[in-house]
Amino acid sequence: MKFINVGFGNMVSVDRVVAIASPDSAPIKRLISDAKEDARVIDVTCGRRTRAVIITDSEHIILSAVYAETISNRLDSSDDTADDEDPED
């Protein structure tokens, strides 16, 4: 199972990530608001400004203080390392 760092030592399973979005648009703000009402929000910002919203396959919303582009790059690099691994491990 592969994990990516979403800030402050918090990790998310790569297999569970459906989308990564910026929190600035109105639809994403509504999505966060609705998820808060249903207790599906995981806030890993440690009190800092939310810079990325990660949507998982279980419909949980993860709020991160790391930029969406940075998390996307980490996802891409984790895919590259998976290709380099020996399949016999």
Side-chain angles (χ1 to χ4, degrees):
M1 183 179 293
K2 295 281 183 189
F3 290 91
I4 55 167
N5 185 336
V6 293
F8 304 106
N10 297 294
M11 309 293 263
V12 174
S13 175
V14 171
D15 299 333
R16 305 296 302 255
V17 175
V18 174
I20 303 170
S22 173
D24 299 330
S25 69
I28 296 297
K29 289 179 181 178
R30 274 193 302 273
L31 183 71
I32 294 168
S33 174
D34 292 345
K36 281 183 179 178
E37 290 175 7
D38 296 338
R40 292 183 289 116
V41 172
I42 303 168
D43 187 350
V44 297
T45 60
C46 292
R48 292 181 174 74
R49 182 177 175 195
T50 300
R51 299 190 187 275
V53 177
I54 303 165
I55 303 167
T56 66
D57 59 352
S58 62
E59 296 184 4
H60 283 85
I61 307 297
I62 302 168
L63 308 178
S64 175
V66 178
Y67 283 104
E69 184 176 355
T70 303
I71 296 172
S72 175
N73 290 338
R74 291 176 184 174
L75 273 172
D76 289 340
S77 67
S78 73
D79 290 342
D80 293 342
T81 58
D83 294 339
D84 295 339
E85 292 179 1
D86 187 12
E88 295 180 14
D89 283 344

